[in-house]
Amino acid sequence: MSASPKAEQLAEPKNAAFLKKAIAFLGKASCLEAVDFYRAMYQMPGCDDWLLAELGKEDLYFLLTHLLRRPDVGHPWVYERCREIEREPDDHLDLWAREHYKSTCITFGLTVQDILRDPEVTVGIFSHNRPLAKGFLRQIKTEFEQNETLKALYPSALWQNPQSESPKWSEDEGIVVKRAGNPKEATVEAWGLVDGMPTGKHFRVLVYDDIVTETSVTPVLMAKTTTALELSYSLGAEGGVRRFIGT
């Protein structure tokens, strides 16, 4: 038996219409306008956890600055990059200067947002070597362990005590959030291109960050890295996406 139109209308979250208008406004707003909007939203009598959680799934800048505890990201240039990423998140090479938050916005923030949107996603983070990639995984892992606000807003995706509740929760094996499926891939794993590349895995999202280092800029190592990069494409799932971050 299907629900009546009236029942469906009553089931809609009270802030659903506001969220739709907010997303439309924020997509065109300046950084200052967005910051003023966030401030006013928090002061609304009807502001609730549902609204904050849903906005975090849609607004990367809000997710970073308000839910992921990164007020240092609060800069108009970074704001514009977040909007740029939202418009075209996949299959691009993002070349930004050092200390311009490219890894924060994409490898960290966008990966977290992917997981909050769909806990069934699988992400492989690749760097020149595995220790570098583990550093990016560690940041996500620590956030999911220590950010109580995030755990409260997304209880269907995040464990309350992941170290004891998750079937996998380590830098070596990767981390697994709450999910219905049981793929052999963890939710997020960290691997090296030149050393430590896995076999037999297929991730829906391949993230390449720091695949070239200062010590690897030689003809021999560049050729080795290029070959490894091409081989790593086979680790993507059918219909998956790739993201490249570099300087």
Side-chain angles (χ1 to χ4, degrees), residues 87-124:
R87 289 190 294 270
E88 296 183 272
D90 306 318
D91 301 312
H92 288 276
L93 171 59
D94 283 271
L95 292 174
W96 307 357
R98 291 193 181 278
E99 299 183 8
H100 276 60
Y101 292 95
K102 55 187 179 294
S103 295
T104 298
C105 292
I106 302 174
T107 309
F108 175 57
L110 189 57
T111 299
V112 169
Q113 191 177 58
D114 284 342
I115 295 166
L116 300 179
R117 285 175 169 174
D118 179 11
E120 303 300 318
V121 71
T122 54
V123 181

PDB file of all heavy atoms in Angstrom, residues 87-124:
ATOM      1  N   ARG A  87      31.269  21.884  -8.720  1.00  0.00           N
ATOM      2  CA  ARG A  87      30.732  21.882 -10.091  1.00  0.00           C
ATOM      3  C   ARG A  87      31.306  20.736 -10.913  1.00  0.00           C
ATOM      4  O   ARG A  87      30.585  20.110 -11.697  1.00  0.00           O
ATOM      5  CB  ARG A  87      31.026  23.226 -10.769  1.00  0.00           C
ATOM      6  CG  ARG A  87      30.209  24.398 -10.230  1.00  0.00           C
ATOM      7  CD  ARG A  87      30.359  25.629 -11.106  1.00  0.00           C
ATOM      8  NE  ARG A  87      31.704  26.172 -11.089  1.00  0.00           N
ATOM      9  CZ  ARG A  87      32.130  27.101 -10.234  1.00  0.00           C
ATOM     10  NH1 ARG A  87      31.305  27.585  -9.314  1.00  0.00           N
ATOM     11  NH2 ARG A  87      33.356  27.570 -10.296  1.00  0.00           N
ATOM     12  N   GLU A  88      32.603  20.472 -10.755  1.00  0.00           N
ATOM     13  CA  GLU A  88      33.258  19.421 -11.537  1.00  0.00           C
ATOM     14  C   GLU A  88      34.262  18.687 -10.637  1.00  0.00           C
ATOM     15  O   GLU A  88      35.458  18.964 -10.680  1.00  0.00           O
ATOM     16  CB  GLU A  88      33.978  20.018 -12.739  1.00  0.00           C
ATOM     17  CG  GLU A  88      33.051  20.689 -13.748  1.00  0.00           C
ATOM     18  CD  GLU A  88      33.809  21.209 -14.949  1.00  0.00           C
ATOM     19  OE1 GLU A  88      34.283  22.356 -14.891  1.00  0.00           O
ATOM     20  OE2 GLU A  88      33.943  20.449 -15.925  1.00  0.00           O
ATOM     21  N   PRO A  89      33.780  17.744  -9.832  1.00  0.00           N
ATOM     22  CA  PRO A  89      34.657  17.113  -8.838  1.00  0.00           C
ATOM     23  C   PRO A  89      35.597  16.042  -9.388  1.00  0.00           C
ATOM     24  O   PRO A  89      36.615  15.749  -8.754  1.00  0.00           O
ATOM     25  CB  PRO A  89      33.658  16.486  -7.859  1.00  0.00           C
ATOM     26  CG  PRO A  89      32.453  16.207  -8.704  1.00  0.00           C
ATOM     27  CD  PRO A  89      32.381  17.319  -9.705  1.00  0.00           C
ATOM     28  N   ASP A  90      35.277  15.487 -10.548  1.00  0.00           N
ATOM     29  CA  ASP A  90      35.963  14.270 -10.979  1.00  0.00           C
ATOM     30  C   ASP A  90      36.706  14.437 -12.303  1.00  0.00           C
ATOM     31  O   ASP A  90      36.379  15.298 -13.127  1.00  0.00           O
ATOM     32  CB  ASP A  90      34.951  13.123 -11.114  1.00  0.00           C
ATOM     33  CG  ASP A  90      34.145  12.912  -9.854  1.00  0.00           C
ATOM     34  OD1 ASP A  90      34.735  12.975  -8.759  1.00  0.00           O
ATOM     35  OD2 ASP A  90      32.922  12.676  -9.966  1.00  0.00           O
ATOM     36  N   ASP A  91      37.710  13.554 -12.460  1.00  0.00           N
ATOM     37  CA  ASP A  91      38.446  13.427 -13.718  1.00  0.00           C
ATOM     38  C   ASP A  91      39.113  14.727 -14.145  1.00  0.00           C
ATOM     39  O   ASP A  91      39.114  15.113 -15.318  1.00  0.00           O
ATOM     40  CB  ASP A  91      37.511  12.916 -14.828  1.00  0.00           C
ATOM     41  CG  ASP A  91      36.914  11.566 -14.473  1.00  0.00           C
ATOM     42  OD1 ASP A  91      37.669  10.674 -14.050  1.00  0.00           O
ATOM     43  OD2 ASP A  91      35.683  11.402 -14.586  1.00  0.00           O
ATOM     44  N   HIS A  92      39.702  15.414 -13.152  1.00  0.00           N
ATOM     45  CA  HIS A  92      40.459  16.634 -13.408  1.00  0.00           C
ATOM     46  C   HIS A  92      41.813  16.554 -12.707  1.00  0.00           C
ATOM     47  O   HIS A  92      41.963  15.875 -11.689  1.00  0.00           O
ATOM     48  CB  HIS A  92      39.721  17.873 -12.894  1.00  0.00           C
ATOM     49  CG  HIS A  92      38.517  18.232 -13.702  1.00  0.00           C
ATOM     50  ND1 HIS A  92      38.581  18.980 -14.852  1.00  0.00           N
ATOM     51  CD2 HIS A  92      37.210  17.941 -13.521  1.00  0.00           C
ATOM     52  CE1 HIS A  92      37.366  19.132 -15.352  1.00  0.00           C
ATOM     53  NE2 HIS A  92      36.513  18.514 -14.561  1.00  0.00           N
ATOM     54  N   LEU A  93      42.777  17.266 -13.256  1.00  0.00           N
ATOM     55  CA  LEU A  93      44.064  17.466 -12.594  1.00  0.00           C
ATOM     56  C   LEU A  93      44.052  18.851 -11.969  1.00  0.00           C
ATOM     57  O   LEU A  93      43.998  19.866 -12.673  1.00  0.00           O
ATOM     58  CB  LEU A  93      45.213  17.355 -13.595  1.00  0.00           C
ATOM     59  CG  LEU A  93      46.608  17.762 -13.087  1.00  0.00           C
ATOM     60  CD1 LEU A  93      47.024  16.911 -11.892  1.00  0.00           C
ATOM     61  CD2 LEU A  93      47.637  17.668 -14.214  1.00  0.00           C
ATOM     62  N   ASP A  94      44.058  18.905 -10.643  1.00  0.00           N
ATOM     63  CA  ASP A  94      44.056  20.179  -9.921  1.00  0.00           C
ATOM     64  C   ASP A  94      45.480  20.533  -9.530  1.00  0.00           C
ATOM     65  O   ASP A  94      46.068  19.920  -8.635  1.00  0.00           O
ATOM     66  CB  ASP A  94      43.173  20.076  -8.676  1.00  0.00           C
ATOM     67  CG  ASP A  94      41.696  20.156  -9.010  1.00  0.00           C
ATOM     68  OD1 ASP A  94      41.174  21.275  -9.046  1.00  0.00           O
ATOM     69  OD2 ASP A  94      41.078  19.097  -9.252  1.00  0.00           O
ATOM     70  N   LEU A  95      46.033  21.532 -10.194  1.00  0.00           N
ATOM     71  CA  LEU A  95      47.384  22.002  -9.918  1.00  0.00           C
ATOM     72  C   LEU A  95      47.297  23.345  -9.201  1.00  0.00           C
ATOM     73  O   LEU A  95      47.011  24.372  -9.822  1.00  0.00           O
ATOM     74  CB  LEU A  95      48.181  22.147 -11.219  1.00  0.00           C
ATOM     75  CG  LEU A  95      48.535  20.852 -11.962  1.00  0.00           C
ATOM     76  CD1 LEU A  95      49.181  21.168 -13.297  1.00  0.00           C
ATOM     77  CD2 LEU A  95      49.459  19.984 -11.112  1.00  0.00           C
ATOM     78  N   TRP A  96      47.521  23.314  -7.921  1.00  0.00           N
ATOM     79  CA  TRP A  96      47.492  24.533  -7.107  1.00  0.00           C
ATOM     80  C   TRP A  96      48.860  24.701  -6.460  1.00  0.00           C
ATOM     81  O   TRP A  96      49.617  23.744  -6.290  1.00  0.00           O
ATOM     82  CB  TRP A  96      46.445  24.454  -6.006  1.00  0.00           C
ATOM     83  CG  TRP A  96      45.055  24.114  -6.425  1.00  0.00           C
ATOM     84  CD1 TRP A  96      44.589  23.906  -7.700  1.00  0.00           C
ATOM     85  CD2 TRP A  96      43.932  23.908  -5.560  1.00  0.00           C
ATOM     86  NE1 TRP A  96      43.261  23.591  -7.680  1.00  0.00           N
ATOM     87  CE2 TRP A  96      42.820  23.584  -6.383  1.00  0.00           C
ATOM     88  CE3 TRP A  96      43.760  23.967  -4.176  1.00  0.00           C
ATOM     89  CZ2 TRP A  96      41.554  23.318  -5.858  1.00  0.00           C
ATOM     90  CZ3 TRP A  96      42.495  23.704  -3.659  1.00  0.00           C
ATOM     91  CH2 TRP A  96      41.407  23.397  -4.486  1.00  0.00           C
ATOM     92  N   ALA A  97      49.171  25.926  -6.060  1.00  0.00           N
ATOM     93  CA  ALA A  97      50.435  26.187  -5.369  1.00  0.00           C
ATOM     94  C   ALA A  97      50.446  25.488  -4.009  1.00  0.00           C
ATOM     95  O   ALA A  97      49.401  25.100  -3.468  1.00  0.00           O
ATOM     96  CB  ALA A  97      50.625  27.688  -5.178  1.00  0.00           C
ATOM     97  N   ARG A  98      51.616  25.309  -3.463  1.00  0.00           N
ATOM     98  CA  ARG A  98      51.744  24.705  -2.136  1.00  0.00           C
ATOM     99  C   ARG A  98      51.037  25.571  -1.092  1.00  0.00           C
ATOM    100  O   ARG A  98      50.973  26.781  -1.211  1.00  0.00           O
ATOM    101  CB  ARG A  98      53.221  24.545  -1.758  1.00  0.00           C
ATOM    102  CG  ARG A  98      53.938  23.491  -2.587  1.00  0.00           C
ATOM    103  CD  ARG A  98      55.288  23.134  -1.991  1.00  0.00           C
ATOM    104  NE  ARG A  98      55.977  22.136  -2.808  1.00  0.00           N
ATOM    105  CZ  ARG A  98      55.758  20.824  -2.750  1.00  0.00           C
ATOM    106  NH1 ARG A  98      54.854  20.369  -1.905  1.00  0.00           N
ATOM    107  NH2 ARG A  98      56.424  19.988  -3.530  1.00  0.00           N
ATOM    108  N   GLU A  99      50.517  24.907  -0.071  1.00  0.00           N
ATOM    109  CA  GLU A  99      49.835  25.563   1.045  1.00  0.00           C
ATOM    110  C   GLU A  99      48.586  26.322   0.593  1.00  0.00           C
ATOM    111  O   GLU A  99      48.205  27.322   1.186  1.00  0.00           O
ATOM    112  CB  GLU A  99      50.796  26.483   1.802  1.00  0.00           C
ATOM    113  CG  GLU A  99      51.980  25.736   2.393  1.00  0.00           C
ATOM    114  CD  GLU A  99      52.908  26.628   3.204  1.00  0.00           C
ATOM    115  OE1 GLU A  99      52.554  27.803   3.440  1.00  0.00           O
ATOM    116  OE2 GLU A  99      53.985  26.148   3.604  1.00  0.00           O
ATOM    117  N   HIS A 100      47.951  25.832  -0.471  1.00  0.00           N
ATOM    118  CA  HIS A 100      46.694  26.432  -0.947  1.00  0.00           C
ATOM    119  C   HIS A 100      45.511  25.487  -0.730  1.00  0.00           C
ATOM    120  O   HIS A 100      44.478  25.636  -1.358  1.00  0.00           O
ATOM    121  CB  HIS A 100      46.818  26.838  -2.423  1.00  0.00           C
ATOM    122  CG  HIS A 100      47.452  28.181  -2.619  1.00  0.00           C
ATOM    123  ND1 HIS A 100      48.723  28.452  -2.189  1.00  0.00           N
ATOM    124  CD2 HIS A 100      46.987  29.336  -3.181  1.00  0.00           C
ATOM    125  CE1 HIS A 100      49.027  29.719  -2.492  1.00  0.00           C
ATOM    126  NE2 HIS A 100      47.990  30.265  -3.082  1.00  0.00           N
ATOM    127  N   TYR A 101      45.681  24.487   0.125  1.00  0.00           N
ATOM    128  CA  TYR A 101      44.586  23.645   0.621  1.00  0.00           C
ATOM    129  C   TYR A 101      44.011  22.675  -0.410  1.00  0.00           C
ATOM    130  O   TYR A 101      42.873  22.236  -0.264  1.00  0.00           O
ATOM    131  CB  TYR A 101      43.462  24.522   1.199  1.00  0.00           C
ATOM    132  CG  TYR A 101      43.864  25.249   2.458  1.00  0.00           C
ATOM    133  CD1 TYR A 101      44.339  26.561   2.397  1.00  0.00           C
ATOM    134  CD2 TYR A 101      43.770  24.638   3.698  1.00  0.00           C
ATOM    135  CE1 TYR A 101      44.713  27.236   3.549  1.00  0.00           C
ATOM    136  CE2 TYR A 101      44.138  25.304   4.863  1.00  0.00           C
ATOM    137  CZ  TYR A 101      44.607  26.593   4.781  1.00  0.00           C
ATOM    138  OH  TYR A 101      44.980  27.258   5.927  1.00  0.00           O
ATOM    139  N   LYS A 102      44.791  22.319  -1.416  1.00  0.00           N
ATOM    140  CA  LYS A 102      44.257  21.379  -2.406  1.00  0.00           C
ATOM    141  C   LYS A 102      44.005  20.003  -1.796  1.00  0.00           C
ATOM    142  O   LYS A 102      42.962  19.393  -2.055  1.00  0.00           O
ATOM    143  CB  LYS A 102      45.197  21.279  -3.614  1.00  0.00           C
ATOM    144  CG  LYS A 102      46.636  20.912  -3.277  1.00  0.00           C
ATOM    145  CD  LYS A 102      47.517  21.014  -4.510  1.00  0.00           C
ATOM    146  CE  LYS A 102      48.962  20.668  -4.179  1.00  0.00           C
ATOM    147  NZ  LYS A 102      49.573  21.663  -3.247  1.00  0.00           N
ATOM    148  N   SER A 103      44.935  19.502  -0.983  1.00  0.00           N
ATOM    149  CA  SER A 103      44.726  18.202  -0.341  1.00  0.00           C
ATOM    150  C   SER A 103      43.620  18.283   0.706  1.00  0.00           C
ATOM    151  O   SER A 103      42.843  17.335   0.880  1.00  0.00           O
ATOM    152  CB  SER A 103      46.024  17.716   0.307  1.00  0.00           C
ATOM    153  OG  SER A 103      47.020  17.476  -0.663  1.00  0.00           O
ATOM    154  N   THR A 104      43.548  19.412   1.401  1.00  0.00           N
ATOM    155  CA  THR A 104      42.496  19.595   2.402  1.00  0.00           C
ATOM    156  C   THR A 104      41.125  19.564   1.748  1.00  0.00           C
ATOM    157  O   THR A 104      40.200  18.912   2.246  1.00  0.00           O
ATOM    158  CB  THR A 104      42.693  20.930   3.139  1.00  0.00           C
ATOM    159  OG1 THR A 104      43.945  20.902   3.828  1.00  0.00           O
ATOM    160  CG2 THR A 104      41.578  21.167   4.142  1.00  0.00           C
ATOM    161  N   CYS A 105      40.978  20.255   0.638  1.00  0.00           N
ATOM    162  CA  CYS A 105      39.671  20.355  -0.017  1.00  0.00           C
ATOM    163  C   CYS A 105      39.280  19.062  -0.730  1.00  0.00           C
ATOM    164  O   CYS A 105      38.108  18.652  -0.663  1.00  0.00           O
ATOM    165  CB  CYS A 105      39.669  21.500  -1.021  1.00  0.00           C
ATOM    166  SG  CYS A 105      39.783  23.145  -0.274  1.00  0.00           S
ATOM    167  N   ILE A 106      40.217  18.421  -1.406  1.00  0.00           N
ATOM    168  CA  ILE A 106      39.873  17.286  -2.268  1.00  0.00           C
ATOM    169  C   ILE A 106      40.138  15.948  -1.578  1.00  0.00           C
ATOM    170  O   ILE A 106      39.209  15.167  -1.337  1.00  0.00           O
ATOM    171  CB  ILE A 106      40.640  17.375  -3.600  1.00  0.00           C
ATOM    172  CG1 ILE A 106      40.325  18.694  -4.311  1.00  0.00           C
ATOM    173  CG2 ILE A 106      40.282  16.190  -4.500  1.00  0.00           C
ATOM    174  CD1 ILE A 106      41.145  18.950  -5.558  1.00  0.00           C
ATOM    175  N   THR A 107      41.393  15.689  -1.235  1.00  0.00           N
ATOM    176  CA  THR A 107      41.729  14.382  -0.667  1.00  0.00           C
ATOM    177  C   THR A 107      41.060  14.166   0.676  1.00  0.00           C
ATOM    178  O   THR A 107      40.601  13.057   0.982  1.00  0.00           O
ATOM    179  CB  THR A 107      43.255  14.251  -0.527  1.00  0.00           C
ATOM    180  OG1 THR A 107      43.877  14.582  -1.778  1.00  0.00           O
ATOM    181  CG2 THR A 107      43.645  12.836  -0.121  1.00  0.00           C
ATOM    182  N   PHE A 108      40.978  15.215   1.479  1.00  0.00           N
ATOM    183  CA  PHE A 108      40.340  15.121   2.794  1.00  0.00           C
ATOM    184  C   PHE A 108      38.847  15.457   2.716  1.00  0.00           C
ATOM    185  O   PHE A 108      37.982  14.593   2.904  1.00  0.00           O
ATOM    186  CB  PHE A 108      41.047  16.054   3.774  1.00  0.00           C
ATOM    187  CG  PHE A 108      40.414  16.135   5.135  1.00  0.00           C
ATOM    188  CD1 PHE A 108      40.213  14.999   5.908  1.00  0.00           C
ATOM    189  CD2 PHE A 108      40.009  17.358   5.647  1.00  0.00           C
ATOM    190  CE1 PHE A 108      39.627  15.075   7.164  1.00  0.00           C
ATOM    191  CE2 PHE A 108      39.434  17.459   6.906  1.00  0.00           C
ATOM    192  CZ  PHE A 108      39.232  16.311   7.664  1.00  0.00           C
ATOM    193  N   GLY A 109      38.515  16.697   2.410  1.00  0.00           N
ATOM    194  CA  GLY A 109      37.132  17.151   2.487  1.00  0.00           C
ATOM    195  C   GLY A 109      36.191  16.439   1.530  1.00  0.00           C
ATOM    196  O   GLY A 109      35.117  15.969   1.934  1.00  0.00           O
ATOM    197  N   LEU A 110      36.556  16.352   0.257  1.00  0.00           N
ATOM    198  CA  LEU A 110      35.672  15.739  -0.727  1.00  0.00           C
ATOM    199  C   LEU A 110      35.520  14.237  -0.479  1.00  0.00           C
ATOM    200  O   LEU A 110      34.437  13.684  -0.683  1.00  0.00           O
ATOM    201  CB  LEU A 110      36.191  16.002  -2.137  1.00  0.00           C
ATOM    202  CG  LEU A 110      35.269  15.605  -3.287  1.00  0.00           C
ATOM    203  CD1 LEU A 110      33.909  16.296  -3.182  1.00  0.00           C
ATOM    204  CD2 LEU A 110      35.918  15.912  -4.635  1.00  0.00           C
ATOM    205  N   THR A 111      36.586  13.587  -0.038  1.00  0.00           N
ATOM    206  CA  THR A 111      36.482  12.163   0.286  1.00  0.00           C
ATOM    207  C   THR A 111      35.538  11.944   1.460  1.00  0.00           C
ATOM    208  O   THR A 111      34.692  11.044   1.434  1.00  0.00           O
ATOM    209  CB  THR A 111      37.869  11.578   0.605  1.00  0.00           C
ATOM    210  OG1 THR A 111      38.725  11.704  -0.537  1.00  0.00           O
ATOM    211  CG2 THR A 111      37.774  10.105   0.983  1.00  0.00           C
ATOM    212  N   VAL A 112      35.656  12.754   2.492  1.00  0.00           N
ATOM    213  CA  VAL A 112      34.738  12.659   3.626  1.00  0.00           C
ATOM    214  C   VAL A 112      33.305  12.897   3.158  1.00  0.00           C
ATOM    215  O   VAL A 112      32.380  12.166   3.540  1.00  0.00           O
ATOM    216  CB  VAL A 112      35.114  13.660   4.729  1.00  0.00           C
ATOM    217  CG1 VAL A 112      34.009  13.765   5.780  1.00  0.00           C
ATOM    218  CG2 VAL A 112      36.420  13.249   5.394  1.00  0.00           C
ATOM    219  N   GLN A 113      33.106  13.893   2.318  1.00  0.00           N
ATOM    220  CA  GLN A 113      31.762  14.190   1.829  1.00  0.00           C
ATOM    221  C   GLN A 113      31.196  13.020   1.022  1.00  0.00           C
ATOM    222  O   GLN A 113      30.014  12.677   1.151  1.00  0.00           O
ATOM    223  CB  GLN A 113      31.782  15.462   0.983  1.00  0.00           C
ATOM    224  CG  GLN A 113      30.392  15.995   0.651  1.00  0.00           C
ATOM    225  CD  GLN A 113      30.459  17.291  -0.122  1.00  0.00           C
ATOM    226  OE1 GLN A 113      31.061  17.360  -1.204  1.00  0.00           O
ATOM    227  NE2 GLN A 113      29.839  18.335   0.412  1.00  0.00           N
ATOM    228  N   ASP A 114      32.028  12.397   0.196  1.00  0.00           N
ATOM    229  CA  ASP A 114      31.589  11.218  -0.551  1.00  0.00           C
ATOM    230  C   ASP A 114      31.068  10.133   0.387  1.00  0.00           C
ATOM    231  O   ASP A 114      30.042   9.502   0.130  1.00  0.00           O
ATOM    232  CB  ASP A 114      32.757  10.643  -1.364  1.00  0.00           C
ATOM    233  CG  ASP A 114      33.065  11.447  -2.609  1.00  0.00           C
ATOM    234  OD1 ASP A 114      32.210  12.235  -3.045  1.00  0.00           O
ATOM    235  OD2 ASP A 114      34.183  11.282  -3.140  1.00  0.00           O
ATOM    236  N   ILE A 115      31.783   9.920   1.480  1.00  0.00           N
ATOM    237  CA  ILE A 115      31.410   8.873   2.427  1.00  0.00           C
ATOM    238  C   ILE A 115      30.116   9.217   3.141  1.00  0.00           C
ATOM    239  O   ILE A 115      29.255   8.349   3.353  1.00  0.00           O
ATOM    240  CB  ILE A 115      32.555   8.643   3.438  1.00  0.00           C
ATOM    241  CG1 ILE A 115      33.794   8.106   2.717  1.00  0.00           C
ATOM    242  CG2 ILE A 115      32.128   7.695   4.555  1.00  0.00           C
ATOM    243  CD1 ILE A 115      35.055   8.156   3.559  1.00  0.00           C
ATOM    244  N   LEU A 116      29.957  10.472   3.524  1.00  0.00           N
ATOM    245  CA  LEU A 116      28.737  10.895   4.205  1.00  0.00           C
ATOM    246  C   LEU A 116      27.529  10.806   3.274  1.00  0.00           C
ATOM    247  O   LEU A 116      26.418  10.497   3.715  1.00  0.00           O
ATOM    248  CB  LEU A 116      28.895  12.320   4.736  1.00  0.00           C
ATOM    249  CG  LEU A 116      30.035  12.526   5.743  1.00  0.00           C
ATOM    250  CD1 LEU A 116      30.102  13.987   6.163  1.00  0.00           C
ATOM    251  CD2 LEU A 116      29.880  11.617   6.951  1.00  0.00           C
ATOM    252  N   ARG A 117      27.746  11.066   2.010  1.00  0.00           N
ATOM    253  CA  ARG A 117      26.663  10.957   1.030  1.00  0.00           C
ATOM    254  C   ARG A 117      26.307   9.497   0.767  1.00  0.00           C
ATOM    255  O   ARG A 117      25.126   9.147   0.641  1.00  0.00           O
ATOM    256  CB  ARG A 117      27.085  11.599  -0.292  1.00  0.00           C
ATOM    257  CG  ARG A 117      27.087  13.107  -0.310  1.00  0.00           C
ATOM    258  CD  ARG A 117      27.639  13.592  -1.632  1.00  0.00           C
ATOM    259  NE  ARG A 117      27.452  15.023  -1.839  1.00  0.00           N
ATOM    260  CZ  ARG A 117      27.957  15.687  -2.872  1.00  0.00           C
ATOM    261  NH1 ARG A 117      28.684  15.055  -3.772  1.00  0.00           N
ATOM    262  NH2 ARG A 117      27.725  16.984  -2.992  1.00  0.00           N
ATOM    263  N   ASP A 118      27.324   8.658   0.650  1.00  0.00           N
ATOM    264  CA  ASP A 118      27.104   7.252   0.291  1.00  0.00           C
ATOM    265  C   ASP A 118      28.137   6.375   0.992  1.00  0.00           C
ATOM    266  O   ASP A 118      29.258   6.221   0.506  1.00  0.00           O
ATOM    267  CB  ASP A 118      27.209   7.079  -1.221  1.00  0.00           C
ATOM    268  CG  ASP A 118      27.007   5.637  -1.652  1.00  0.00           C
ATOM    269  OD1 ASP A 118      26.573   4.811  -0.811  1.00  0.00           O
ATOM    270  OD2 ASP A 118      27.273   5.321  -2.830  1.00  0.00           O
ATOM    271  N   PRO A 119      27.787   5.790   2.132  1.00  0.00           N
ATOM    272  CA  PRO A 119      28.741   4.949   2.872  1.00  0.00           C
ATOM    273  C   PRO A 119      29.194   3.703   2.113  1.00  0.00           C
ATOM    274  O   PRO A 119      30.148   3.038   2.553  1.00  0.00           O
ATOM    275  CB  PRO A 119      27.953   4.564   4.138  1.00  0.00           C
ATOM    276  CG  PRO A 119      26.901   5.608   4.280  1.00  0.00           C
ATOM    277  CD  PRO A 119      26.531   5.980   2.877  1.00  0.00           C
ATOM    278  N   GLU A 120      28.544   3.394   0.995  1.00  0.00           N
ATOM    279  CA  GLU A 120      28.952   2.229   0.208  1.00  0.00           C
ATOM    280  C   GLU A 120      30.136   2.540  -0.710  1.00  0.00           C
ATOM    281  O   GLU A 120      30.687   1.626  -1.332  1.00  0.00           O
ATOM    282  CB  GLU A 120      27.774   1.737  -0.638  1.00  0.00           C
ATOM    283  CG  GLU A 120      26.522   1.386   0.146  1.00  0.00           C
ATOM    284  CD  GLU A 120      26.752   0.283   1.159  1.00  0.00           C
ATOM    285  OE1 GLU A 120      27.450  -0.702   0.837  1.00  0.00           O
ATOM    286  OE2 GLU A 120      26.242   0.410   2.295  1.00  0.00           O
ATOM    287  N   VAL A 121      30.545   3.788  -0.795  1.00  0.00           N
ATOM    288  CA  VAL A 121      31.634   4.169  -1.682  1.00  0.00           C
ATOM    289  C   VAL A 121      32.941   3.527  -1.216  1.00  0.00           C
ATOM    290  O   VAL A 121      33.133   3.245  -0.029  1.00  0.00           O
ATOM    291  CB  VAL A 121      31.786   5.713  -1.722  1.00  0.00           C
ATOM    292  CG1 VAL A 121      32.353   6.262  -0.415  1.00  0.00           C
ATOM    293  CG2 VAL A 121      32.646   6.153  -2.896  1.00  0.00           C
ATOM    294  N   THR A 122      33.828   3.270  -2.165  1.00  0.00           N
ATOM    295  CA  THR A 122      35.168   2.775  -1.847  1.00  0.00           C
ATOM    296  C   THR A 122      36.180   3.706  -2.500  1.00  0.00           C
ATOM    297  O   THR A 122      36.058   4.044  -3.680  1.00  0.00           O
ATOM    298  CB  THR A 122      35.391   1.334  -2.352  1.00  0.00           C
ATOM    299  OG1 THR A 122      35.093   1.262  -3.760  1.00  0.00           O
ATOM    300  CG2 THR A 122      34.490   0.358  -1.595  1.00  0.00           C
ATOM    301  N   VAL A 123      37.169   4.126  -1.722  1.00  0.00           N
ATOM    302  CA  VAL A 123      38.136   5.133  -2.168  1.00  0.00           C
ATOM    303  C   VAL A 123      39.552   4.591  -1.991  1.00  0.00           C
ATOM    304  O   VAL A 123      39.923   4.141  -0.902  1.00  0.00           O
ATOM    305  CB  VAL A 123      37.989   6.441  -1.365  1.00  0.00           C
ATOM    306  CG1 VAL A 123      38.981   7.488  -1.865  1.00  0.00           C
ATOM    307  CG2 VAL A 123      36.560   6.971  -1.437  1.00  0.00           C
ATOM    308  N   GLY A 124      40.326   4.656  -3.048  1.00  0.00           N
ATOM    309  CA  GLY A 124      41.743   4.321  -2.968  1.00  0.00           C
ATOM    310  C   GLY A 124      42.568   5.583  -3.098  1.00  0.00           C
ATOM    311  O   GLY A 124      42.453   6.297  -4.101  1.00  0.00           O
TER     312      GLY A 124
END
